[in-house]
Amino acid sequence: MKKGVIKNSFKAAFPHTVPIFAGFWFLGLTYGIYMNVSGFSFWYPMLMSITIFAGSMEFVTVNLLMGAFDPLQAFVMTLMINARHLFYGISMLDKYKGTGWKKFYLIFGMCDESFSINYTADIPENCDKGWFMFFVNLLNHFYWFFGSTLGGIFGSFIGFNTEGIEFVMTAMFVVIFMEQWMKEKNHTSSLLGLGLSVLCLAAFGADDFILPSMIAILAVLTLLRKPLDKGGEAV
């Protein structure tokens, strides 16, 4: 592989990731501060942003670390939150062919934003497909790592009252839900999710309703997949 091709691949990939930088840097910064005010050293957000690299799950991990040790709950919750990546991976099987050793990092570092870029981007002829996708993943990964580490380091120097900053996780999921709601033509699955969550909240209480509600949502949507598809909604 010529160095010029690798350089061209980086130059072509970088502009695609610039819009991601602002969002990842700010959200990562907030996550690092959140970890700091929750009593964790900057090493935690720094290492977690490298090894986990799943923004929503990293926010949830804060509560898991502060709660009782429950590996089964952590495993199931992680699987539920990131289940969409199973479908991302299937759709990228052909694109990842012939990428060699880079395929391992492409699989590990595939977040929503990197998937969107690598799946839709028109890669220039003077670039290598594998290196282009590799740099997209690497740059987005670095943006998140940089923001998280910076927030963890400087969180202790913040002079204003950070009480309530943990609400950023709730706000993030609300925004994700609202974006999905606006994209949907049929809101049946969203309403089912809300309804089942409320029922589980009433049945299991605020401390234990998340896992049962996610299992219930997955089961119900799986059973109703065909009717919802016929109604014009992909779930």
Side-chain angles (χ1 to χ4, degrees):
M1 180 67 64
K2 296 181 180 179
K3 290 184 178 180
V5 175
I6 298 176
K7 186 177 180 180
N8 290 338
S9 300
F10 178 83
K11 288 182 176 180
F14 176 70
H16 288 277
T17 67
V18 171
I20 311 300
F21 169 75
F24 269 26
W25 185 82
F26 179 77
L27 193 58
L29 189 70
T30 306
Y31 166 65
I33 295 172
Y34 177 37
M35 286 288 290
N36 184 274
V37 299
S38 298
F40 296 96
S41 167
F42 79 93
W43 289 103
Y44 281 84
M46 185 178 76
L47 293 176
M48 287 166 61
S49 63
I50 292 176
T51 57
I52 299 177
F53 189 40
S56 54
M57 191 60 220
E58 288 181 50
F59 276 96
V60 173
T61 303
V62 180
N63 291 329
L64 293 176
L65 290 172
M66 296 176 68
F69 179 67
D70 191 343
L72 179 61
Q73 182 188 30
F75 171 77
V76 175
M77 187 173 294
T78 303
L79 181 62
M80 294 291 184
I81 291 175
N82 295 295
R84 65 190 184 280
H85 289 269
L86 294 171
F87 303 98
Y88 290 172
I90 292 173
S91 63
M92 294 297 287
L93 287 175
D94 289 335
K95 288 183 176 291
Y96 284 174
K97 286 182 179 179
T99 55
W101 60 268
K102 294 183 287 297
K103 183 176 182 179
F104 296 100
Y105 182 69
L106 291 174
I107 294 171
F108 165 76
M110 183 177 60
C111 61
D112 296 355
E113 292 76 10
S114 295
F115 165 77
S116 178
I117 293 172
N118 287 332
Y119 189 79
T120 60
D122 292 324
I123 302 174
E125 293 183 358
N126 63 343
C127 300
D128 176 74
K129 176 188 70 174
W131 279 108
F132 176 91
M133 294 190 294
F134 175 86
F135 284 128
V136 167
N137 281 27
L138 184 65
L139 286 166
N140 288 338
H141 196 171
F142 173 74
Y143 300 152
W144 178 256
F145 161 79
F146 178 61
S148 301
T149 304
L150 202 63
I153 292 174
F154 291 103
S156 57
F157 299 105
I158 294 176
F160 59 86
N161 186 3
T162 57
E163 184 178 356
I165 194 172
E166 64 274 7
F167 184 74
V168 69
M169 184 174 69
T170 304
M172 179 181 67
F173 283 114
V174 170
V175 170
I176 293 173
F177 176 81
M178 290 176 64
E179 288 182 347
Q180 184 64 31
W181 180 278
M182 294 173 66
K183 292 178 182 177
E184 292 174 344
K185 295 180 180 179
N186 185 334
H187 302 304
T188 304
S189 61
S190 296
L191 293 173
L192 282 171
L194 287 173
L196 290 169
S197 298
V198 171
L199 288 175
C200 289
L201 176 62
F204 298 98
D207 294 331
D208 301 310
F209 85 100
I210 294 179
L211 194 56
S213 63
M214 296 181 76
I215 294 174
I217 291 169
L218 179 63
V220 171
L221 291 182
T222 300
L223 290 172
L224 298 179
R225 182 175 181 84
K226 289 184 178 180
L228 289 173
D229 285 342
K230 290 180 180 179
E233 179 178 5
V235 295

